[in-house]
Amino acid sequence: MKHILSLLIVLLVSAQGFAQFKQAAPSQKKINTDNLKINKINKVVKPSNDHEGFRYHESINFKNRDQRNVAQSAVSLNRTNNEFGVPQLIEVHTQVKKSNFARADFYQLLESQREVLQQTEIVQSFRPINEKMEDIGQYHVKANQYANDVRVYDGQISTHFYQDGKRLIMGRVIPAEMFEGLAHQASTTKDQAFETIQSNFTHYQTVEWFEKDFNQWSAELVYYNHHDHYHLAWYVDVYENLADRHNYFVDAVSGEILNTYGTICKFHDHGNLAPPDGPTTATNQDLLGINRTINTYEVGSTFFMLDASRSMFNAGASELPDDPVGGILTLDAKNTAPQNSDFQVEHVTSSNNNWGNNPTGVSAHYNAGQSYEYFRNTHNRNSINGEGGSVYSLINVANENGSSMGNAFWNGIAMFYGNGDSAFFPLARALDVAGHEISHGVVQNTANLEYQGESGAMNESFADIFGAMIDRDDWKIGEDVAKSNVFPGGALRDMQDPHNNASTNDYGSGWQPKHVNEQFTGSQDNGGVHINSGIPNHAFYLFATEINKDRAEKVFYRALDVYLTKSSRFVDLRNAVVQAADDLYGTAEVDAAKNAFSAVGIGEGSGTTTQEDAGVNPGDDLIAFFNLAKDELNIVDETVNTTFLGNPVVSGGLLSRISVTDDGSEMVVIGQDRLMYYITVNWDSGDVNVSVLSSDPIWRNVVISKDGEHIAALFDDETPRIWVYNFASQNQREYELYNPTFSEGVSTGDVLFADAMEFDITGQYVVYDASNEIPSGTGVSIEYWDIGFLHCWDRSTNNFTSNTNNNYISKLFSALPEGVSAGNPTFAKNSPFIVAFDLLEGNNYDLLGANLETGDIGTLYQNTGLSWPNYSRTDNQIIYNLSTLFGDDIGITNVNGDKISPVPNSDDFLIIGAQLGVWFANGDRNLYVNTDDVALVESNISLFPNPASTLLNIEVKEGSFDNYSVYDLKGAILQSGNLQNNRVDISDLPSGQYMIKLANPLNWTIKSFVKE
Amino acid sequence: MKQLNLAILLSLLCIISCKTQKESLDTYEGMILEFGNSGGFTGAIDCYRMMENGQLFKSNDGKNFTEITSMDKKVAEQMFENFETLGFNEMRINDPGNMTFYVSLGQGKRVQTLKWGGTSQIPDPNLKRFYTNLFKLASQAKNPVK
């Protein structure tokens, strides 16, 4: 549906009017009707004031601006909250750029997020247990949560501080209110607790030789979550004997045992228990038949596939062999699948430290160690998480149905290896597979590239790149595990030649694109993450062969670690690599990076628009929306976090969509009483004030310009007029709406009335949709909706434009195909030449984006009802009404750099039970960028003969066009080329309606014709 | 003999006519339950589509589906019903990971998809069980439909 229509058709014969279209969303099975799932705050609500139909909240307390500056754009990533509504990951961007941090920074960060974390105080609630200041200027603090001076057993966070001002808070925090009223002093002693649990012991045996340095049991008072309620409990950690270790939770008030669990350890009972013997080594063959020396660990007479010999190993914090800190541990999944409930994990053990019967374990263990050393030695990275965290590998992992798994994967914690299938040998066999999987962990702990679309392809690519650098003898990926009967190239992927000796687009045989002109655009594979990785893979190959692998890998690692972010795209990768090359080396490396990316089609300007954009509003991301009953106006931040706001901001029957100035300080809306209301928000004090702008009950819609200088309004009588008012001069002007006529003599009918409106960023144009009527010979008029631009203000004269010369209207489409309507237009926030709008074609509802400069149109989302779209502050996302099987919500989709195409598979729910979202910000910016007029230039051209059978002639009275494209009504390009002698041979086209796009470097237009 | 042949023919016609109408995925307009996984080192895709009448289709590219069997219609209907009774209709999870698992229920373009496997969201245990059960049902059907 890309380029679904470049819409112009001779006859406007629309069987369905947009009025119907606007009400035609299929009936939904509603859930959560009128029940917005947002965290409402109970505020003092002033009863209705003197404005009938409206009540407003006088006492809403916003944070003052100073407070807001501390936590600029606090973002809880992925809107992931725990069951108590506390985000598990919070990203904060501050203006504080420094490289030395201290404990005070930790407390200041948490204090700035205290409300989000749902805490009443910070210092007593979070007590650091580990902190680290790295040479590279990063600071990390891990802390336990406390309440009433008691440790919360399941409450722990890690915080991360970066030189660029970024801060991360990760982990699990329990709201303070969960502990209100709970006992904080035990009624029982820990000895009583131990006595209670002794009844459960079956083989308790005092381990006398550990008495000096080993507590056979210990107890700590904690708050423990049992069946969704917290209990003050004794947490007893007891070794019944060296073979059996258990944790017990005993209610410290009632003495009742709340819970117990053992460990995964499967010690063999040897009767006489022996102390841990420590690290050792063994040499055995791996799956390739090569002798490998691996580090193992002996406990008693049992040897474990545990490597506790690396520099990261922390013996004091480890509980061996189950819970090493800084260890490399290989475990056995016993041919079970992690998705299934019978999933098993056991230690890989040996009674004699001979692993000859387990080459799979030897391979996985050895390769994990090699991968660890690569990141340690080459990138000075201390393990996957950068903090010396343990590395886990699971072997003998099966599919859900129990069959052998021909795959390996990273699940966010560990590497999982299957034993192969018809296409693959056992996956643990290859070093680059281990390198690939461990690199996913590194990506997760650095840029955390989102696993879909281009960012997902980059995630895969980085895994391949480091996998290839760890197993650096060639440029192939998986050559030791891929079977040649399936992969003709002898490998799963090939960075040197991503086509990999397979047929074009035969992804199952290992073919990948090597240039963006081959880029996969489907939705499978999360938008082709394993397919499009071939493009950056090949860029790395070109870069590395130009400057050498040693330098290339360091540059790419720095790009990943320092510059890329979660939603970065290919163009960001290019910029990051170029910057990293400049940081580390010099001109030769920078040029090599540019050349490599250019060679694969990732240009410097890729994904950006060509006309000058306005600067992005620097304020906070905010979204105003209505509930489904349309009697509440709510404002939330982009994470749907309402903790800094009281909602609803305004209550009362609302008729029109809210319209907001660029700085978020002024809003206008029409009430169901048809009065015009004016809402101001003081973002410093948090004061919200509602007043009546026009007490005449005559209005249907109103919008305010971005600078707040003008409003445009529609009368309730559904006449074809737009009324515009200028606050400064207090002058007003009405514009009669009309449809421009064209040289073909095509009637586009009369305008009945306008409906949706929005000012452009300059305040000179209003984009609107309007219902139109074409009289027909049958006496039954035909209605349709389309989109127009009203040029109402001239900034150069600082006055209204003339409303008498009939040249103040231009149309997005000078005519629409039969049965097609367009409406609900909205401008991109920063590109006045980008609009998004609804398109109805039959029963299909598409949300489209159009670039008025290039004429390109893209399908941003295929909806089931009207979208009423609105771009985000930075134009990298778009929100819209979303009808699902189960209700009406506000949805969100990530948008590519062209602003008219979506990031595949990125659509998601944003706000449940909500509608008509308007994304705005509360910062100040210069709105008067040097932008071209937004309206299309109506070219004075005609096509003849029309209908035509062989040659279509184009008459251009002014100017000329260089090339043409012919589209069908679905937007598919059927033929294109240079325009010669102003005629196009259409003899090969089947009979029917078509569109032709005519373009030169400065202008374009689209006309329709009929092939006989 | 002629009478016997006629009776057999009539019986066959009855059996054929009584059998559930076979649907084509291309023209089917009813509800579809889709589930599967994709990703890992290989990027392999393994997914299924189930119709309300029990017809089951499998794909290894997420695009081209081949019918593999017809499950018991009552079992299929139960799985469709479970989607709602287990509350998945109110669930929102879109967290793809290196290995991504998903279940979706939809009709035409109106689809509710639940996707997990990333590190940001923890899927509901019932959702994982539901997914596992679907996979077990699917794996029991190994013979391609002729």
Side-chain angles (χ1 to χ4, degrees):
Chain A
M1 286 290 278
K2 193 176 182 184
H3 298 290
I4 179 174
L5 45 125
S6 319
L7 308 155
L8 266 196
I9 277 254
V10 178
L11 295 174
L12 289 165
V13 186
S14 175
Q16 297 183 30
F18 200 64
Q20 293 169 305
F21 163 24
K22 291 210 165 197
Q23 299 167 0
S27 60
Q28 304 292 317
K29 181 177 181 181
K30 292 185 178 177
I31 291 177
N32 299 327
T33 304
D34 300 336
N35 181 23
L36 302 178
K37 287 187 174 176
I38 53 179
N39 297 322
K40 294 188 177 183
I41 298 173
N42 294 322
K43 294 286 182 184
V44 178
V45 179
K46 184 177 179 180
S48 60
N49 60 7
D50 51 351
H51 310 310
E52 187 179 352
F54 269 92
R55 299 187 305 278
Y56 64 92
H57 298 239
E58 195 174 53
S59 59
I60 294 169
N61 292 313
F62 297 102
K63 284 184 176 179
N64 64 42
R65 190 166 290 278
D66 288 342
Q67 285 176 306
R68 297 178 66 78
N69 283 343
V70 172
Q72 287 279 355
S73 304
V75 177
S76 56
L77 294 179
N78 292 326
R79 300 176 290 284
T80 306
N81 296 342
N82 64 27
E83 69 269 36
F84 303 107
V86 182
Q88 295 175 182
L89 176 56
I90 301 172
E91 181 173 335
V92 177
H93 292 276
T94 74
Q95 303 302 316
V96 182
K97 293 179 172 56
K98 61 180 186 177
S99 56
N100 285 312
F101 298 93
R103 187 72 66 84
D105 294 296
F106 165 77
Y107 287 121
Q108 186 179 13
L109 171 65
L110 295 186
E111 185 62 39
S112 75
Q113 299 301 308
R114 184 167 54 80
E115 291 183 14
V116 177
L117 296 169
Q118 300 186 38
Q119 300 299 305
T120 53
E121 70 83 46
I122 290 298
V123 176
Q124 289 302 314
S125 299
F126 295 97
R127 303 183 186 178
I129 56 173
N130 183 296
E131 67 183 314
K132 179 182 179 186
M133 183 69 228
E134 291 191 296
D135 294 341
I136 56 175
Q138 293 183 9
Y139 177 59
H140 314 276
V141 183
K142 187 178 285 186
N144 284 333
Q145 184 185 357
Y146 282 75
N148 304 326
D149 214 24
V150 174
R151 182 165 77 90
V152 179
Y153 180 75
D154 57 345
Q156 189 178 74
I157 57 168
S158 65
T159 58
H160 309 271
F161 299 76
Y162 301 86
Q163 294 185 63
D164 63 356
K166 188 174 95 172
R167 313 281 185 260
L168 292 178
I169 304 173
M170 306 165 73
R172 179 177 169 83
V173 175
I174 314 302
E177 66 178 10
M178 296 299 295
F179 307 102
E180 288 175 2
L182 288 186
H184 59 279
Q185 288 190 330
S187 304
T188 59
T189 66
K190 61 182 179 183
D191 289 334
Q192 288 173 321
F194 185 66
E195 284 175 19
T196 302
I197 62 176
Q198 272 187 311
S199 61
N200 285 269
F201 294 165
T202 53
H203 298 93
Y204 188 76
Q205 183 178 14
T206 303
V207 187
E208 295 178 347
W209 47 82
F210 277 141
E211 278 184 346
K212 289 182 181 175
D213 55 0
F214 173 77
N215 290 323
Q216 192 164 356
W217 71 275
S218 62
E220 178 191 7
L221 208 54
V222 299
Y223 279 126
Y224 179 67
N225 186 343
H226 184 58
H227 295 159
D228 298 329
H229 292 286
Y230 278 87
H231 297 248
L232 184 67
W234 286 109
Y235 164 49
V236 184
D237 184 10
V238 57
Y239 288 82
E240 287 185 46
N241 50 57
L242 264 190
D244 291 304
R245 177 188 176 195
H246 284 91
N247 297 146
Y248 289 84
F249 295 89
V250 182
D251 193 304
V253 177
S254 68
E256 173 193 1
I257 296 177
L258 298 172
N259 201 1
T260 181
Y261 59 85
T263 68
I264 61 169
C265 173
K266 302 293 180 186
F267 284 106
H268 302 292
D269 187 357
H270 299 290
N272 294 324
L273 299 170
D277 293 328
T280 182
T281 59
T283 301
N284 284 101
Q285 284 192 346
D286 68 3
L287 286 166
L288 292 169
I290 301 172
N291 274 333
R292 304 293 193 189
T293 298
I294 57 173
N295 294 308
T296 58
Y297 201 94
E298 182 183 6
V299 178
S301 57
T302 301
F303 294 84
F304 295 85
M305 208 165 256
L306 166 63
D307 181 348
S309 308
R310 309 286 171 176
S311 58
M312 65 175 173
F313 181 65
N314 183 341
S318 296
E319 294 174 358
L320 299 180
D322 295 343
D323 192 13
V325 176
I328 298 174
L329 185 60
T330 299
L331 300 163
D332 190 344
K334 310 296 286 184
N335 294 310
T336 60
Q339 301 84 267
N340 293 350
S341 57
D342 62 352
F343 182 54
Q344 297 178 42
V345 179
E346 293 185 3
H347 278 293
V348 181
T349 59
S350 166
S351 59
N352 57 5
N353 205 23
N354 186 324
W355 309 87
N357 63 347
N358 197 343
T360 305
V362 173
S363 284
H365 201 58
Y366 176 81
N367 291 337
Q370 292 296 106
S371 300
Y372 164 81
E373 290 298 337
Y374 168 80
F375 281 104
R376 183 74 189 172
N377 297 329
T378 306
H379 303 300
N380 195 29
R381 181 177 188 83
N382 190 13
S383 194
I384 293 174
N385 68 352
E387 300 175 17
S390 291
V391 177
Y392 299 96
S393 305
L394 277 78
I395 58 172
N396 300 322
V397 177
N399 287 319
E400 290 96 333
N401 60 9
S403 62
S404 182
M405 185 176 79
N407 208 344
F409 63 91
W410 166 259
N411 80 333
I413 299 170
M415 294 172 279
F416 292 68
Y417 298 99
N419 284 329
D421 57 11
S422 59
F424 293 95
F425 296 109
L427 276 295
R429 172 175 164 160
L431 177 58
D432 57 5
V433 177
H436 177 103
E437 299 307 333
I438 203 171
S439 298
H440 274 307
V442 171
V443 171
Q444 178 186 322
N445 283 278
T446 49
N448 195 21
L449 293 161
E450 198 167 24
Y451 205 69
Q452 57 190 2
E454 288 190 2
S455 59
M458 288 157 55
N459 193 323
E460 271 300 314
S461 178
F462 274 109
D464 275 355
I465 288 167
F466 295 129
M469 292 299 94
I470 291 167
D471 182 12
R472 61 200 292 141
D473 59 339
D474 57 39
W475 291 102
K476 293 180 184 294
I477 303 295
E479 71 278 11
D480 290 328
V481 293
K483 294 183 177 176
S484 57
N485 60 323
V486 177
F487 300 97
L492 177 63
R493 295 182 281 271
D494 187 341
M495 298 172 71
Q496 181 175 0
D497 178 14
H499 291 172
N500 200 15
N501 205 28
S503 303
T504 303
N505 295 337
D506 186 358
Y507 311 121
S509 297
W511 188 93
Q512 288 188 296
K514 63 192 298 184
H515 191 280
V516 291
N517 61 16
E518 299 172 327
Q519 190 167 346
F520 175 77
T521 58
S523 60
Q524 293 84 31
D525 185 32
N526 289 321
V529 298
H530 290 85
I531 300 170
N532 291 329
S533 58
I535 298 167
N537 274 4
H538 193 53
F540 179 81
Y541 160 79
L542 294 171
F543 181 53
T545 50
E546 181 69 24
I547 67 167
N548 77 40
K549 287 180 179 178
D550 292 347
R551 290 186 173 193
E553 64 193 342
K554 286 186 171 62
V555 168
F556 267 65
Y557 178 79
R558 181 171 178 79
L560 173 72
D561 190 34
V562 177
Y563 294 112
L564 293 175
T565 57
K566 187 168 180 284
S567 57
S568 292
R569 299 180 183 131
F570 284 170
V571 66
D572 302 307
L573 175 62
R574 174 193 168 114
N575 295 335
V577 168
V578 168
Q579 183 61 51
D582 191 44
D583 293 347
L584 296 176
Y585 303 109
T587 306
E589 287 76 9
V590 168
D591 290 344
K594 289 179 179 177
N595 292 338
F597 280 94
S598 294
V600 300
I602 302 174
E604 206 161 10
S606 291
T608 60
T609 46
T610 54
Q611 191 176 322
E612 183 183 0
D613 282 345
V616 173
N617 187 311
D620 299 321
D621 285 290
L622 300 159
I623 299 165
F625 62 92
F626 295 152
N627 62 345
L628 297 184
K630 219 174 174 181
D631 57 8
E632 288 181 357
L633 170 64
N634 298 274
I635 298 177
V636 295
D637 71 14
E638 64 167 325
T639 68
V640 198
N641 180 356
T642 61
T643 55
F644 66 98
L645 274 176
N647 276 322
V649 177
V650 175
S651 299
L654 300 160
L655 182 65
S656 71
R657 189 181 198 176
I658 195 75
S659 175
V660 189
T661 55
D662 196 70
D663 64 2
S665 66
E666 300 169 85
M667 305 176 188
V668 291
V669 68
I670 304 297
Q672 286 184 0
D673 52 11
R674 271 40 178 189
L675 305 186
M676 185 184 295
Y677 290 92
Y678 176 67
I679 304 165
T680 58
V681 180
N682 184 324
W683 291 96
D684 290 324
S685 66
D687 290 338
V688 178
N689 184 49
V690 181
S691 59
V692 175
L693 202 54
S694 168
S695 56
D696 296 323
I698 58 173
W699 304 105
R700 185 163 46 85
N701 193 12
V702 62
V703 292
I704 191 165
S705 61
K706 301 297 181 190
D707 59 5
E709 291 295 315
H710 324 286
I711 56 171
L714 302 175
F715 298 107
D716 195 33
D717 57 3
E718 295 192 345
T719 52
R721 295 176 292 165
I722 293 179
W723 178 85
V724 182
Y725 180 79
N726 176 258
F727 284 107
S729 66
Q730 298 184 17
N731 288 328
Q732 56 184 290
R733 184 160 291 181
E734 268 185 37
Y735 292 87
E736 186 85 15
L737 301 179
Y738 63 93
N739 282 327
T741 56
F742 303 99
S743 56
E744 294 104 317
V746 175
S747 170
T748 51
D750 298 323
V751 179
L752 296 176
F753 59 91
D755 187 29
M757 297 187 296
E758 185 177 299
F759 271 99
D760 80 320
I761 193 171
T762 69
Q764 298 181 111
Y765 292 86
V766 173
V767 63
Y768 64 92
D769 66 12
S771 173
N772 306 276
E773 180 183 52
I774 302 174
S776 76
T778 64
V780 179
S781 60
I782 297 160
E783 291 184 14
Y784 71 100
W785 287 77
D786 70 354
I787 293 170
F789 299 92
L790 165 64
H791 187 194
C792 58
W793 187 258
D794 187 337
R795 218 171 55 213
S796 62
T797 62
N798 201 31
N799 206 345
F800 289 103
T801 59
S802 168
N803 60 353
T804 58
N805 58 7
N806 269 17
N807 63 0
Y808 50 86
I809 297 284
S810 55
K811 305 299 285 290
L812 182 59
F813 308 111
S814 50
L816 288 162
E818 179 180 345
V820 173
S821 281
N824 299 328
T826 185
F827 283 107
K829 291 291 190 294
N830 312 300
S831 301
F833 51 94
I834 301 285
V835 291
F837 55 95
D838 274 311
L839 184 93
L840 173 64
E841 187 178 15
N843 290 321
N844 294 322
Y845 295 84
D846 286 349
L847 165 53
L848 301 186
N851 185 324
L852 307 183
E853 193 178 71
T854 64
D856 291 334
I857 295 176
T859 302
L860 287 162
Y861 186 70
Q862 290 187 295
N863 212 333
T864 54
L866 293 176
S867 291
W868 291 88
N870 200 264
Y871 278 98
S872 68
R873 178 177 62 92
T874 59
D875 293 334
N876 66 344
Q877 292 176 302
I878 194 161
I879 59 175
Y880 45 83
N881 281 7
L882 179 62
S883 296
T884 70
L885 281 175
F886 305 107
D888 295 330
D889 310 316
I890 290 178
I892 186 167
T893 290
N894 293 341
V895 177
N896 284 322
D898 62 9
K899 305 189 183 186
I900 60 172
S901 65
V903 174
N905 286 330
S906 64
D907 51 293
D908 201 353
F909 296 90
L910 182 65
I911 307 173
I912 310 300
Q915 60 175 324
L916 298 175
V918 173
W919 195 309
F920 67 101
N922 57 1
D924 295 317
R925 62 170 169 164
N926 178 16
L927 295 171
Y928 306 121
V929 293
N930 181 24
T931 55
D932 295 337
D933 288 351
V934 296
L936 301 181
V937 176
E938 293 296 348
S939 57
N940 191 13
I941 68 170
S942 60
L943 308 178
F944 65 93
N946 192 1
S949 56
T950 53
L951 289 177
L952 182 67
N953 295 288
I954 297 133
E955 182 183 12
V956 184
K957 292 180 179 174
E958 293 178 14
S960 63
F961 293 101
D962 302 332
N963 49 61
Y964 76 97
S965 301
V966 174
Y967 300 81
D968 65 15
L969 295 186
K970 293 286 185 185
I973 298 180
L974 303 178
Q975 64 183 75
S976 61
N978 295 326
L979 186 62
Q980 295 179 340
N981 301 320
N982 277 355
R983 62 176 53 177
V984 175
D985 185 350
I986 59 169
S987 54
D988 290 339
L989 294 174
S991 298
Q993 287 184 327
Y994 297 93
M995 297 169 289
I996 183 168
K997 176 181 175 181
L998 305 163
N1000 61 36
L1002 300 174
N1003 199 6
W1004 61 271
T1005 190
I1006 296 175
K1007 296 289 177 184
S1008 63
F1009 65 93
V1010 175
K1011 165 71 189 299
E1012 285 184 318
Chain B
M1 190 65 179
K2 279 185 178 178
Q3 285 178 332
L4 182 61
N5 288 339
L6 185 61
I8 292 171
L9 182 63
L10 286 172
S11 299
L12 285 172
L13 284 173
C14 180
I15 290 169
I16 292 167
S17 62
C18 292
K19 203 173 179 183
T20 304
Q21 180 72 39
K22 282 276 185 183
E23 300 272 6
S24 161
L25 258 187
D26 295 334
T27 57
Y28 181 65
E29 294 182 345
M31 301 276 275
I32 285 183
L33 192 58
E34 182 169 331
F35 54 97
N37 61 59
S38 68
F41 176 71
T42 66
I45 296 173
D46 190 12
C47 58
Y48 298 85
R49 284 182 181 169
M50 185 194 295
M51 293 179 178
E52 286 174 292
N53 66 5
Q55 281 180 256
L56 189 67
F57 302 80
K58 179 177 169 61
S59 172
N60 287 118
D61 61 7
K63 205 173 175 182
N64 302 302
F65 283 81
T66 305
E67 185 171 3
I68 55 172
T69 191
S70 278
M71 296 166 50
D72 187 315
K73 188 183 176 189
K74 286 182 181 174
V75 174
E77 287 175 346
Q78 184 65 53
M79 299 311 282
F80 276 79
E81 197 178 315
N82 285 353
F83 190 92
E84 194 161 346
T85 54
L86 291 173
F88 303 148
N89 51 344
E90 294 187 53
M91 210 173 272
R92 308 283 191 262
I93 178 168
N94 181 16
D95 184 27
N98 182 233
M99 198 73 193
T100 301
F101 309 91
Y102 74 95
V103 175
S104 73
L105 179 65
Q107 186 170 23
K109 290 190 295 183
R110 305 171 71 195
V111 178
Q112 166 93 341
T113 299
L114 304 168
K115 193 182 283 188
W116 68 98
T119 55
S120 302
Q121 292 177 270
I122 299 170
D124 185 283
N126 281 338
L127 177 60
K128 293 175 74 174
R129 283 188 206 108
F130 183 67
Y131 168 87
T132 306
N133 287 337
L134 285 169
F135 239 92
K136 279 182 182 168
L137 288 170
S139 63
Q140 289 165 2
K142 293 180 179 173
N143 299 323
V145 169
K146 294 178 181 176

